[in-house]
Amino acid sequence: MKTLQQLLDGKKYKEVISIAPHRPVFDALVVLAEYKIGALIVLEGQSLVGIFSERDYAREVILKGRSSKTTSIHEVMTSKVLTATPSDSVEYALSLMTEHRIRHLPVVVDGKVVGVLSIGDLVKETIAYQQELIKQLQSYIKN
């Protein structure tokens, strides 16, 4: 199975979309909509300090009656962020995300976020890997 670096290398958009923790939630929603993504990396300078997702918005802003224009990202973001390294396997990352029920996984090298993978990225790769394996096994059986 591939490494996370191989998946990142194959991604169409390699840019890490991020936002500063002091910005209002409304700004984050605009960026999420613009890029059609479900989460933003929260960076203080180059340091990963959190992740802000649609789940955070629903649970911490909407359900608590807060205003997206006056609430700062740092007030509602997830600050305990699980990360992976480029050398980790897709299988490892998928099990980590499944076990902790997260949908987005920052990939970090020396404290710097080099990419973000979604659960969809990992599932897509796992299906492709399994389909190729089935094809190889069918070919082996026929010969």
Side-chain angles (χ1 to χ4, degrees):
M1 202 166 255
K2 290 184 180 179
T3 65
L4 300 186
Q5 183 62 58
Q6 289 171 305
L7 275 192
L8 289 173
D9 290 343
K11 282 192 84 153
K12 191 175 183 179
Y13 301 106
K14 299 183 189 313
E15 178 185 5
V16 174
I17 311 300
S18 65
I19 194 159
H22 67 275
R23 301 275 300 274
V25 168
F26 184 83
D27 291 357
L29 297 174
V30 170
V31 175
L32 290 174
E34 179 182 340
Y35 285 92
K36 296 183 171 90
I37 56 177
L40 286 173
I41 298 302
V42 184
L43 297 177
E44 184 81 66
Q46 294 288 328
S47 299
L48 175 65
V49 294
I51 190 164
F52 174 78
S53 69
E54 295 167 327
R55 279 184 179 178
D56 294 319
Y57 177 65
R59 293 175 180 169
E60 298 298 325
V61 180
I62 296 298
L63 289 178
K64 292 186 177 176
R66 293 174 161 173
S67 165
S68 60
K69 292 195 178 193
T70 59
T71 303
S72 296
I73 295 292
H74 72 85
E75 295 176 62
V76 295
M77 70 183 186
T78 299
S79 56
K80 292 182 182 178
V81 182
L82 293 175
T83 63
T85 66
S87 61
D88 287 332
S89 70
V90 168
E91 183 178 59
Y92 167 77
L94 191 56
S95 69
L96 181 69
M97 294 174 80
T98 302
E99 178 183 338
H100 294 279
R101 298 176 187 241
I102 60 172
R103 295 180 184 177
H104 300 89
L105 185 65
V107 180
V108 176
V109 175
D110 297 326
K112 183 175 187 239
V113 180
V114 296
V116 179
L117 293 168
S118 71
I119 193 82
D121 295 329
L122 300 175
V123 168
K124 181 180 174 184
E125 175 55 34
T126 301
I127 290 169
Y129 174 78
Q130 290 175 346
Q131 287 175 336
E132 181 59 30
L133 190 59
I134 289 168
K135 197 161 104 178
Q136 289 174 4
L137 288 171
Q138 287 173 332
S139 175
Y140 176 77
I141 290 169
K142 288 179 184 176
N143 293 329

